[in-house]
Amino acid sequence: MNILLVDSTPLYRDILQQSFGRARGVRILHEATQKAALSRAGLQTIDFFILSGQLPDGNGQDLARELRQSGCAQVAPIVLLTASPSAELARQAMLAGVTELFRKQDVEELITFVRHFLNANQPMHGRVLYVEDVRTQRDLMVMQLCEWGLMVDAFENADQAWEAFAQAEYEYDLVLTDLILGGHMSGSRLINRIRRHALPKGATPILALTAFDNPSRRIELFHLGIDDYVLKPVIPIELRARLQSLLSRKRASQHSQQLLEATSLGVTVVDEEGFVRTMDVNARTMFGVAEEMVEANSVKTLLGDVADKIVTALQQGAPLNKLRYTARHSTGSVVQIELSSLEVESANGWRQFALLTRDVSKELELANYLMRAKDAAENASRVKAEFLANMSHEIRTPLNAIIGMAYLMQRNGLSPDQAERAGRITRAGQHLLGIISDVLDISKIEAGRLSVERVPVSVADIVANVVAMVAEQASAKGLQLIVKNDDLPANLLGDPTRLTQSLLNYVANAIKFTEQGSITLSTRVQHETEQSVTLYFSVSDTGMGIEANALEQIFAAFQQADSSTTRKFGGTGLGLSITRELARLMDGDAGASSVPGQGSLFWFTATLKRGQAKEPPVLSQHNIDAEQVLGRDFGGTHILLAEDDFINRELALGLLANLNFQIDVAQDGLMAVDMVQKNDYGLVLMDMQMPHMGGLEATQKIRALPGRRLLPIIAMTANTFAEDRKRCFDAGMNDFIPKPIDPDLLFEKMLHWLSASKRSLSA
């Protein structure tokens, strides 16, 4: 394996040579210029490139681009070393084909990255049982696995695979199986049978292949007993990494087992009647027998009631192989042992047998502990998922009432003061909704699956909204709110919810920890290019300040400057951690500086893309148009509202009050099915969670009714996870509206489906 370093100085060459010089099959090559590197790459295969950002005749980005375009580095990793990385540089490097960006001073991280690559590309060893019913896919996979160094037994169905697995004298190192298979047995059934098999075969690692990817399906697979899964179509690099991981874990497990098996054995020699003749030191220690008392013992005194069974087996010539028994220590304590036997040379006319014993008490204790830990971890994961779903539902339900009722009050006409207060309720409720979503996304942050939006955003409006939301709090404490905004570019694309949450978190903290003085909110451009703008947001205060050794700690999850902070001011300790993660998702970062007793400054950066100039959308007018069309064209339409919560029913009826609809109400799914059977409705609004029968089951039963297959059914629910949305569509619903209900969205969806139904009837 060839590693090419392109750098005009010998420093990194010496570091790489020292780190990998003795690695088998690894050659460190060095060139000082871009031209020489291209020449070298054209003459021989290079498996890994390390490029300096600045070269005598060019730069690392241009070299990376040429290597990719010329085909000299089609898939080989390219690492770029730079003295001053930035989000924009990282973006440009990625476009040039750079795999990873490292600061020049982060030598240890670079070495770790290279070492991981080398380890991941070593030949694999092991025997794999592979099941795939599509021959072309099976042949290609077998070829790939063999190329990686694995032995493969391939089968076209699970029936053949199970027979081979169960009857094989050897153990497979891994099972790789598709889930949807031809034959009598499915892939899921094969996995279930393997897991029910006796150990050690029953613990064989299983890697599933599936074309379906949703959270509920993944949970089902792991409950079934898989160790990992790969989505179809299979990406070879991902498959190799997951295979390598599972095989490495099994090797580590086997190594641990071998170490256990290599522990000292106790050897006790007994005659054919079970009397002890000799015991070695390990056996005497195991049973607590003094040397002078050895011959006073027997199998009966050592092993109790099972002694007769053991002696009979010895007399019959049946060898004992790793049988587990409970032994008695001379102190009265119990020792769990593993016992094997073999017949040795006779003495004094008596047959003799060596009992090989191993103390497995700690091993059994460890196994029990691991089983309890596994059960606890699985239970914790299940409880966490259920808690997050329930918390989302329980919080969104009252939020729906709060935001919805504020909307109805505003629509029905208020005095200026009342309108302002209702507006604050709406803004606060909407922001709380955003925070709830972000807190629920903490699990996605941990899993690296959280994403940010890129929609038109007004930074000035975000700042103004944040100031409006905290103005009363600041005024109540006598604090002055100061806003310093530089001229900011227009037509930016970003995530307004994430930006608002991050900025509001900083401002709210500043107000919380400041007793007198002022809070200053500043926004400026830190860096800009033709494609993007990096903005710098900061919030400074004249509060209590933070000790230097606590500044980094406070950005860790569930951490605050000290424990007394929680007692005095409250808070979860999650806000700053989420803010930093959100900033990094927006190609920025977050940090703080502080002087105890004088105040603190918290900052974060975010890189926003430039968008095209266009008029901002006027959502309220869009809402009025949809509502007007519904009232004009569909007045008198018979509508069914299925909702068990009284306040949410009142809210929904209030939102629809001006449309002249004929609205029936069902308080559970059973009533909804009965009413749909008896009435011709134009549309059904269906909650998911209701007593007696939920919305999903009700929808399935409605679809089974004669003439109700095309009836529009729209979910209105506080269950907003992706799997909830999928369950609604799978049950037969036409659309999905999350709670709290957005009136714009409600009217749009109703107009769309009533219009579609009307066109269908006309046709």
Side-chain angles (χ1 to χ4, degrees):
M1 183 172 294
N2 295 323
I3 299 177
L4 176 60
L5 169 67
V6 186
D7 188 18
S8 59
T9 66
L11 174 62
Y12 282 92
R13 179 194 62 193
D14 296 341
I15 292 173
L16 292 173
Q17 196 65 46
Q18 182 178 359
S19 300
F20 303 108
R22 297 187 61 186
R24 178 175 296 179
V26 176
R27 297 178 59 206
I28 307 298
L29 308 175
H30 180 240
E31 297 293 350
T33 66
Q34 180 173 335
K35 181 178 180 181
L38 288 170
S39 177
R40 167 85 71 149
L43 295 174
Q44 64 185 117
T45 300
I46 304 298
D47 302 288
F48 197 103
F49 293 85
I50 302 175
L51 314 180
S52 175
Q54 297 298 323
L55 298 170
D57 58 345
N59 62 70
Q61 289 185 57
D62 291 341
L63 176 55
R65 186 177 294 105
E66 288 195 48
L67 289 170
R68 294 296 191 203
Q69 292 175 352
S70 66
C72 295
Q74 291 184 338
V75 296
I78 299 179
V79 168
L80 184 66
L81 304 178
T82 178
S84 54
S86 66
E88 180 59 25
L89 176 61
R91 189 192 68 82
Q92 294 175 359
M94 179 188 69
L95 295 176
V98 172
T99 307
E100 188 58 277
L101 194 70
F102 286 97
R103 296 189 304 172
K104 286 194 171 183
Q105 58 266 41
D106 294 335
V107 175
E108 291 185 4
E109 293 185 15
L110 171 64
I111 296 302
T112 301
F113 185 81
V114 176
R115 183 172 287 116
H116 176 76
F117 173 79
L118 295 178
N119 292 338
N121 284 274
Q122 295 298 315
M124 291 187 285
H125 302 285
R127 181 181 290 270
V128 175
L129 184 147
Y130 172 48
V131 194
E132 170 59 66
D133 56 347
V134 180
R135 180 167 184 173
T136 55
Q137 295 183 21
R138 186 170 67 248
D139 292 344
L140 288 172
M141 181 66 76
V142 169
M143 184 184 304
Q144 180 68 84
L145 295 175
C146 292
E147 182 180 323
W148 289 338
L150 296 167
M151 294 184 293
V152 184
D153 293 341
F155 299 92
E156 65 180 355
N157 59 63
D159 305 85
Q160 297 175 357
W162 168 246
E163 183 177 357
F165 180 89
Q167 296 181 2
E169 296 181 358
Y170 47 81
E171 293 180 29
Y172 284 101
D173 294 291
L174 185 137
V175 173
L176 178 65
T177 180
D178 193 4
L179 296 177
I180 309 300
L181 297 168
H184 298 293
M185 190 187 304
S186 67
S188 299
R189 180 65 175 166
L190 173 63
I191 294 169
N192 185 269
R193 282 199 172 185
I194 291 174
R195 287 296 176 247
R196 286 160 47 199
H197 197 284
L199 297 177
K201 280 189 174 182
T204 302
I206 300 175
L207 181 62
L209 301 173
T210 176
F212 304 101
D213 182 35
N214 61 72
S216 59
R217 182 56 174 160
R218 292 196 295 270
I219 293 172
E220 290 174 6
L221 290 176
F222 283 112
H223 284 171
L224 190 63
I226 69 163
D227 295 274
D228 207 345
Y229 72 98
V230 173
L231 291 177
K232 287 185 171 183
V234 175
I235 301 173
I237 295 176
E238 178 189 7
L239 175 64
R240 181 186 176 102
R242 296 186 185 275
L243 287 171
Q244 189 84 31
S245 175
L246 292 178
L247 291 172
S248 297
R249 281 159 49 188
K250 181 172 184 183
R251 297 284 181 264
S253 177
Q254 289 175 333
H255 181 63
S256 299
Q257 185 65 29
Q258 291 168 356
L259 291 177
L260 288 173
E261 293 174 353
T263 56
S264 300
L265 291 173
V267 180
T268 301
V269 177
V270 300
D271 62 25
E272 58 189 280
E273 291 186 338
F275 291 105
V276 175
R277 295 307 179 192
T278 64
M279 300 178 76
D280 70 357
V281 174
N282 292 331
R284 295 199 303 272
T285 302
M286 193 178 302
F287 293 100
V289 176
E291 187 172 1
E292 61 274 12
M293 297 296 296
V294 168
E295 295 189 358
N297 282 274
S298 65
V299 177
K300 183 77 171 178
T301 62
L302 300 178
L303 297 175
D305 295 339
V306 299
D308 293 340
K309 181 179 179 180
I310 292 174
V311 171
T312 299
L314 294 175
Q315 292 171 348
Q316 294 175 351
L320 306 176
N321 185 32
K322 295 185 178 181
L323 301 179
R324 298 286 177 90
Y325 295 107
T326 300
R328 300 172 180 172
H329 194 273
S330 61
T331 61
S333 61
V334 171
V335 181
Q336 301 296 328
I337 66 165
E338 183 179 83
L339 183 146
S340 299
S341 71
L342 59 92
E343 188 166 354
V344 296
E345 187 177 351
S346 301
N348 301 322
W350 294 87
R351 294 170 66 192
Q352 292 196 131
F353 305 89
L355 303 182
L356 310 179
T357 54
R358 183 168 68 94
D359 186 346
V360 295
S361 300
K362 292 184 178 180
E363 182 181 332
L364 291 176
E365 183 180 345
L366 175 62
N368 291 333
Y369 171 78
L370 293 176
M371 183 60 69
R372 292 194 300 271
K374 176 177 176 290
D375 292 342
E378 291 176 348
N379 183 64
S381 177
R382 177 181 56 79
V383 170
K384 177 182 177 182
E386 292 176 354
F387 169 75
L388 290 176
N390 289 335
M391 184 174 73
S392 174
H393 181 274
E394 293 303 318
I395 294 178
R396 284 174 178 271
T397 297
L399 260 184
N400 183 50
I402 294 170
I403 297 174
M405 291 300 178
Y407 171 84
L408 290 178
M409 288 191 296
Q410 290 174 298
R411 190 177 69 172
N412 292 335
L414 299 171
S415 68
D417 287 345
Q418 291 172 329
E420 174 62 23
R421 289 167 185 165
R424 289 176 181 174
I425 292 174
T426 300
R427 288 194 298 271
Q430 291 290 356
H431 180 69
L432 178 57
L433 177 63
I435 291 179
I436 291 167
S437 299
D438 288 335
V439 172
L440 294 177
D441 281 342
I442 192 82
S443 59
K444 293 183 180 179
I445 290 176
E446 295 170 352
R449 300 197 310 269
L450 186 67
S451 60
V452 293
E453 286 187 309
R454 284 187 177 173
V455 298
V457 62
S458 169
V459 176
D461 287 349
I462 289 174
V463 173
N465 285 338
V466 169
V467 171
M469 294 170 76
V470 299
E472 286 189 6
Q473 294 176 269
S475 178
K477 296 186 71 173
L479 300 175
Q480 183 182 7
L481 277 177
I482 302 172
V483 177
K484 295 181 179 179
N485 285 340
D486 287 357
D487 290 334
L488 301 176
N491 308 316
L492 297 179
L493 302 177
D495 192 323
T497 301
R498 308 302 188 188
L499 289 169
T500 300
Q501 180 190 349
S502 301
L503 195 57
L504 182 60
N505 181 57
Y506 278 173
V507 177
N509 280 348
I511 294 174
K512 182 190 298 185
F513 296 110
T514 303
E515 296 301 327
Q516 59 183 359
S518 62
I519 311 293
T520 302
L521 195 159
S522 301
T523 309
R524 61 179 171 83
V525 174
Q526 185 183 59
H527 178 74
E528 61 180 316
T529 66
E530 292 182 0
Q531 292 78 31
S532 64
V533 178
T534 299
L535 300 181
Y536 177 91
F537 300 85
S538 68
V539 176
S540 59
D541 60 56
T542 57
M544 57 193 295
I546 304 169
E547 296 291 340
N549 58 4
L551 277 177
E552 190 61 29
Q553 171 185 320
I554 60 175
F555 280 93
F558 305 104
Q559 294 291 326
Q560 295 187 335
D562 60 65
S563 58
S564 64
T565 301
T566 302
R567 294 193 296 270
K568 183 176 180 181
F569 298 101
T572 64
L574 275 176
L576 294 180
S577 174
I578 293 176
T579 297
R580 172 170 280 183
E581 293 298 333
L582 292 177
R584 289 174 176 174
L585 282 172
M586 293 184 285
D587 295 325
D589 207 344
S593 59
S594 183
V595 178
Q598 297 183 27
S600 306
L601 183 146
F602 283 81
W603 60 268
F604 73 89
T605 57
T607 300
L608 308 184
K609 298 292 184 182
R610 294 185 187 272
Q612 296 181 350
K614 57 182 179 180
E615 292 295 325
V618 184
L619 297 178
S620 59
Q621 182 63 41
H622 185 63
N623 172 36
I624 293 172
D625 290 345
E627 188 176 9
Q628 287 178 347
V629 174
L630 283 172
R632 184 190 66 207
D633 295 350
F634 295 96
T637 301
H638 205 178
I639 301 292
L640 175 63
L641 171 65
E643 170 64 70
D644 64 313
D645 185 84
F646 173 78
I647 297 178
N648 285 332
R649 285 202 305 272
E650 183 181 355
L651 171 61
L653 292 173
L655 291 173
L656 303 175
N658 295 336
L659 299 178
N660 300 317
F661 286 164
Q662 180 184 348
I663 304 175
D664 292 343
V665 175
Q667 298 182 17
D668 59 46
L670 282 173
M671 292 179 61
V673 174
D674 182 63
M675 295 174 74
V676 169
Q677 190 171 16
K678 295 177 180 178
N679 298 279
D680 289 326
Y681 291 109
L683 184 140
V684 176
L685 298 174
M686 182 80 73
D687 189 18
M688 278 183 69
Q689 290 190 2
M690 294 183 289
H692 308 305
M693 180 185 292
L696 298 179
E697 185 179 355
T699 299
Q700 292 172 333
K701 291 187 177 296
I702 289 172
R703 290 302 183 215
L705 295 174
R708 300 297 185 257
R709 185 174 60 86
L710 299 179
L711 172 64
I713 302 177
I714 302 176
M716 289 200 315
T717 176
N719 297 343
T720 60
F721 283 72
E723 56 266 32
D724 297 318
R725 186 183 297 267
K726 182 179 185 301
R727 286 164 58 204
C728 288
F729 290 128
D730 289 345
M733 294 185 179
N734 299 89
D735 219 323
F736 184 97
I737 299 175
K739 293 178 182 177
I741 295 171
D742 178 358
D744 297 352
L745 185 62
L746 173 63
F747 296 140
E748 286 179 22
K749 299 290 188 184
M750 293 184 69
L751 179 59
H752 171 79
W753 288 108
L754 286 173
S755 300
S757 180
K758 184 177 181 180
R759 289 194 299 270
S760 176
L761 291 174
S762 300

